[in-house]
Amino acid sequence: MVPPFEAADSATQLLATQRPILLRSRSSGLKQAASWFDRNAGDEPLRLLRACPRYAPTDLISLPGAAERLGLGGIWIKDETQRLGIGSFKGLGGAYAVLKLAMRHVERRTGRAILPAELMEPGVRAMLSELTFSCASDGNHGRSVSAGARLIGARAVVYLHQGVSDERAAHISRLGAEIVRVPGDYHDSVEAAAKAASQDGWIAVPDTVGEGEDATACTLVVQGYSILTDEIVAATAGQQKPFTHVLVQAGVGGLAASVFGHGWARGLFGPDTHLWIVEPERSACLYESARAKMPVRLPAGPATNMSMLECQSPSLLVWPIIEDLTSGYITVTDEEAADAVRLLNEGISGDQRLRVGESGAAGLAGLFSAAEEKDRKRLGLDQSAKVLLFATESPTDLSVWSGNQ
């Protein structure tokens, strides 16, 4: 049973202090078992998302220049900046949840199972035009839900807090969604979206779950991310334990839990693999939850340039998996994230150049931070280390993107 949130204390210190790397021992296997990360978790999302014209696997890119610079055996980065035309791994989650929930709606109405292709048929689309899907977002989840709704002819309403830029809101509006602005922070927009869906009979598609909330749609969102790990498995086929370290940046923790859990179930990672989470120092709810050994809710604080990771509390759906499997927590500053953006944009020592936003570069920033530790031996960061990173998003606010500077 997942405990309720506990309010974090020493709010000012929590938001202002860069924390040392927090290492945790983990069990030799998963205590939790859930269908959304088991061996076959990616099969159904792939079946549905192949209905999207823009679906294609994203690249797993080697960064030998970065590896040499850090004295490591190899670094690979999964490039999600081209995902489904949305430019973020989020394209896998929200869109899949919308399609799956739409299929369930049609099946209830017709009394029979349908195929994904039938979602495009005029009679089915007429049924789906009656539906409204809603969510809260910092930007990319809203784009994914909106794209899924537009594909099937349904309506989308996306709730954005006051910290979401007009540029990010415009990306969502262009996909046909209605935007509702909410005072406060991300948590406030999540609450507003859930309340509106309940009152108006809409279908809520959240990417986080709080105490006592229905996890059905969020489970589908996180399950959609399994496709990403399956693509990595395919790209490294035949390699025995191809990675010694996996760094995943996190907001509420959905991607990290999916990568760690599904990767474990697929045999991509094992007991000796270092599974680390990277967060902004100003919004490190998973770090503080791990330290407290229970989910905590941080107070709202100063904004971070890693805006897609700016969340005050873990998703209770994924927290048990994170607690089971994560062996290290790292926080990074805004300056470190901006430096990582520039390095990827320029190409490190001849590496392929990647156009990545600050949230998308946080994993690399975390690796650079860890590599500066005096006792690298305890972290396993030596010539035998093979590191997997994720470029989770392209720049979402080009007007302030640090790669342009």
Side-chain angles (χ1 to χ4, degrees):
M1 181 177 178
V2 178
F5 288 113
E6 179 178 271
D9 55 6
S10 305
T12 303
Q13 182 178 0
L14 288 178
L15 295 169
T17 303
Q18 188 172 19
R19 304 153 179 84
I21 295 177
L22 178 64
L23 298 180
R24 283 285 184 262
S25 299
R26 63 165 179 255
S27 58
S28 58
L30 282 166
K31 298 176 186 175
Q32 305 290 327
S35 61
W36 56 264
F37 67 78
D38 69 17
R39 283 191 58 83
N40 303 313
D43 294 351
E44 179 68 0
L46 182 59
R47 188 172 76 96
L48 265 67
L49 288 178
R50 278 178 172 160
C52 300
R54 304 190 73 167
Y55 171 73
T58 57
D59 293 333
L60 182 63
I61 298 169
S62 176
L63 300 177
E68 183 177 1
R69 177 168 172 170
L70 294 177
L72 304 176
I75 300 174
W76 290 262
I77 190 164
K78 181 67 166 162
D79 180 15
E80 292 296 293
T81 64
Q82 304 302 313
R83 178 68 74 181
L84 287 167
I86 291 172
S88 165
F89 78 95
K90 292 276 188 178
L92 294 170
Y96 165 62
V98 167
L99 296 180
K100 186 65 176 178
L101 292 168
M103 287 184 69
R104 290 177 180 175
H105 174 78
V106 173
E107 288 169 352
R108 285 193 298 269
R109 287 279 300 271
T110 62
R112 66 176 181 85
I114 68 168
L115 298 172
E118 293 182 72
L119 291 173
M120 305 299 122
E121 293 180 356
V124 171
R125 287 175 68 85
M127 292 183 206
L128 298 177
S129 67
E130 304 168 358
L131 301 181
T132 297
F133 294 89
S134 66
C135 70
S137 180
D138 274 321
N140 287 325
H141 179 60
R143 292 173 75 180
S144 185
V145 169
S146 301
R150 185 169 74 165
L151 182 67
I152 59 174
R155 177 173 174 245
V157 181
V158 180
Y159 286 74
L160 304 177
H161 63 87
Q162 61 189 24
V164 177
S165 68
D166 290 340
E167 190 172 349
R168 277 180 271 156
H171 289 318
I172 298 171
S173 294
R174 280 193 288 270
L175 291 167
E178 176 186 339
I179 301 297
V180 178
R181 285 287 188 174
V182 177
D185 57 25
Y186 177 70
H187 178 67
D188 296 311
S189 67
V190 170
E191 289 188 337
K195 182 178 179 181
S198 177
Q199 290 177 342
D200 297 327
W202 298 343
I203 301 175
V205 189
D207 64 353
T208 186
V209 173
E211 184 183 1
E213 294 175 351
D214 184 359
T216 302
C218 186
T219 297
L220 295 173
V221 170
V222 180
Q223 184 180 351
Y225 304 155
S226 298
I227 293 174
L228 183 154
T229 300
D230 286 339
E231 292 174 356
I232 297 172
V233 171
T236 57
Q239 300 180 37
Q240 187 71 20
K241 294 184 180 178
F243 307 110
T244 61
H245 297 70
V246 182
L247 281 72
V248 186
Q249 50 268 54
V252 298
L255 177 63
S258 175
V259 169
F260 294 171
H262 190 50
W264 192 287
R266 291 295 313 269
L268 187 63
F269 317 135
D272 297 330
T273 310
H274 298 270
L275 302 178
W276 295 345
I277 281 176
V278 181
E279 296 175 279
E281 66 166 358
R282 297 178 183 175
S283 186
C285 63
L286 297 174
Y287 184 109
E288 293 302 332
S289 295
R291 197 165 68 91
K293 298 183 180 179
M294 67 179 298
V296 302
R297 175 168 290 141
L298 300 180
T304 171
N305 61 6
M306 291 165 277
S307 52
M308 302 300 146
L309 308 178
E310 194 172 339
C311 303
Q312 286 74 45
S313 54
S315 170
L316 295 187
L317 171 68
V318 304
W319 170 249
I321 309 307
I322 289 171
E323 189 176 36
D324 269 2
L325 294 182
T326 306
S327 58
Y329 297 80
I330 301 171
T331 62
V332 294
T333 66
D334 281 20
E335 292 75 20
E336 288 170 330
D339 286 343
V341 165
R342 283 190 286 270
L343 287 169
L344 288 170
N345 185 53
E346 295 166 359
I348 304 171
S349 303
D351 284 344
Q352 180 175 331
R353 298 177 62 182
L354 293 172
R355 199 164 179 257
V356 179
E358 286 80 3
S359 298
L364 179 65
L367 178 60
F368 269 87
S369 177
E372 292 175 357
E373 289 283 306
K374 291 181 180 179
D375 187 7
R376 285 179 47 150
K377 185 177 181 180
R378 75 184 180 115
L379 302 177
L381 293 176
D382 54 28
Q383 286 287 348
S384 66
K386 298 178 181 178
V387 181
L388 173 63
L389 303 174
F390 296 83
T392 50
E393 57 150 21
S394 59
T396 51
D397 291 297
L398 284 172
S399 59
V400 296
W401 180 49
S402 59
N404 289 335
Q405 299 171 4

